[in-house]
Amino acid sequence: MPEQQFMRHAIALALKGEGKTRPNPLVGAVIVKDGRIIGEGYHTKYGSLHAEREALADCRRRGESPLGADMYVTLEPCCHTGKQPPCTEALAESGIGCVFVGSEDPNPLVAGKGIKFLRQHGIQVQTGFLKAECDALNPIFFHYIAAGKPYVALKYAMTADGRIATVTGASKWITGEAARNHVHKLRNRYASILVGINTVLRDDPLLNCRIPGGVNPLRIVLDSALRIPPSSHLVQSAKEIPLMVVCSDSKINGAADKKKALEAAGAEVLPLDSPDGRPDFKALVAELGKRSIDSLLIEGGSQVHYSALKAGVVSHIYSYVAPKIFGGTSAPGPVGGYGADAVSDAFVLHLAGIQQLGDDILIEYEVEDVYRNN
């Protein structure tokens, strides 16, 4: 149906704002009159016009009148004043006749109030239009609004026999170029990225986003004893790309000089402890939420992955599977740690999607809520 095409165009527009609107959602809007698009827009970046006002402005630029037109918008129009005035007021003043809404906004400041306002002002509203496709735009926003904490995803690349490195520790490159490019899209999508100190010592990564126009995430290293080398790519680039080094509070006094040197290089050193002396994932996620960091992508080693799953903070998993077999009983898998004693102790996943990336396959999972709520 043409109506579905219009909403799917709005979804495509919304995706253009990826990495730039956080902690706001991705939103696209299309204005249609007599079967043709007379205006369109999307939320381009945090603090800028919302999609609905962008679409109305596009109408004016085209010399078109929105009077009696339909609008297709991926998320319920806002009805409160934030960085921008309410979109509902702009729609009421424009003469728009009908609004097709994809997702309802869970923000308590909106949460159905935007739809109610439009109807009270004589605008027809159809809700839940291509809802599943529109909802898929904003799992990060929905989680962050509901929990006040970042949406956490875990990413790893492995062989067909479940190895993330050979017996000697070699891991470059398990997957092909298409899969690696997809990872950089994730780095643009997520506000922060995390690795453990062993990954830094082994690979000396930069952890930046390498797609044109992409946004670099906040880089976080779990480093209890502040072993990160000052010569590492992460530290050397800390004044250009934010770096947070999370260490053990109990060990910080013995590393005062190292802390001072890291801070002089531009890094933030955050002491954070848990009962076992390791940085506490739950405390870290709570701290990131306080800083309005809405999402975290974990690209650590097997021990970091297990710790994050065990802490119950992981919502989503990206598993890249390459058509290779390493073998080796001591070659590491993607999740280490103590592991499950019984099958019933497993972390339960729900399939969220499968796609082919070159010769590799990306399998996405949602982690069952029971573990995130522990």
Side-chain angles (χ1 to χ4, degrees), residues 231-252:
S231 60
S232 66
H233 285 127
L234 290 171
V235 176
Q236 289 295 306
S237 60
K239 290 184 178 178
E240 290 76 44
I241 308 173
L243 171 65
M244 175 189 291
V245 182
V246 182
C247 64
S248 169
D249 187 59
S250 61
K251 298 179 181 179
I252 193 67

Side-chain angles (χ1 to χ4, degrees), residues 250-267:
S250 61
K251 298 179 181 179
I252 193 67
N253 291 333
D257 290 343
K258 184 67 173 289
K259 177 178 181 291
K260 185 176 180 180
L262 290 172
E263 291 173 339

Side-chain angles (χ1 to χ4, degrees), residues 111-344:
K113 300 182 185 72
I115 293 169
K116 182 178 179 180
F117 180 96
L118 295 178
R119 286 172 172 160
Q120 288 175 336
H121 287 76
I123 299 175
Q124 296 181 42
V125 182
Q126 181 172 334
T127 61
F129 193 83
L130 292 188
K131 175 177 168 57
E133 293 177 48
C134 291
D135 285 352
L137 284 170
N138 288 301
I140 289 173
F141 173 72
F142 294 155
H143 178 91
Y144 180 70
I145 284 293
K149 299 174 185 178
Y151 181 84
V152 179
L154 189 155
K155 165 262 166 186
Y156 55 81
M158 68 179 186
T159 59
D161 60 333
R163 306 298 202 270
I164 62 171
T166 67
V167 292
T168 63
S171 60
K172 291 186 178 180
W173 293 103
I174 290 177
T175 53
E177 185 175 355
R180 297 199 298 273
N181 287 341
H182 188 272
V183 171
H184 285 282
K185 292 180 181 179
L186 294 184
R187 291 182 181 182
N188 178 59
R189 181 182 307 167
Y190 285 81
S192 59
I193 182 171
L194 180 146
V195 297
I197 183 58
N198 289 330
T199 296
V200 176
L201 296 175
R202 182 184 66 245
D203 299 336
D204 191 19
L206 187 55
L207 300 179
N208 63 339
C209 174
R210 297 167 201 165
I211 61 174
V215 179
N216 289 317
L218 164 67
R219 301 163 308 165
I220 303 172
V221 179
L222 296 183
D223 183 11
S224 296
L226 288 185
R227 292 188 292 151
I228 186 169
S231 60
S232 66
H233 285 127
L234 290 171
V235 176
Q236 289 295 306
S237 60
K239 290 184 178 178
E240 290 76 44
I241 308 173
L243 171 65
M244 175 189 291
V245 182
V246 182
C247 64
S248 169
D249 187 59
S250 61
K251 298 179 181 179
I252 193 67
N253 291 333
D257 290 343
K258 184 67 173 289
K259 177 178 181 291
K260 185 176 180 180
L262 290 172
E263 291 173 339
E268 176 187 359
V269 177
L270 177 66
L272 205 62
D273 250 0
S274 68
D276 64 0
R278 297 174 180 269
D280 185 334
F281 260 110
K282 285 187 176 180
L284 175 59
V285 166
E287 176 63 26
L288 295 178
K290 292 175 184 177
R291 300 181 183 211
S292 298
I293 296 171
D294 66 359
S295 50
L296 172 65
L297 178 65
I298 298 175
E299 286 193 28
S302 61
Q303 180 59 53
V304 169
H305 294 168
Y306 179 75
S307 296
L309 287 165
K310 189 69 174 176
V313 300
V314 179
S315 293
H316 197 86
I317 292 177
Y318 299 95
S319 177
Y320 298 84
V321 184
K324 301 172 182 176
I325 291 178
F326 284 169
T329 56
S330 60
V335 180
Y338 177 78
D341 285 318
V343 172
S344 59

Side-chain angles (χ1 to χ4, degrees), residues 10-23:
I11 291 171
L13 289 170
L15 287 168
K16 292 184 176 183
E18 199 163 58
K20 302 176 180 67
T21 68
R22 54 193 180 220

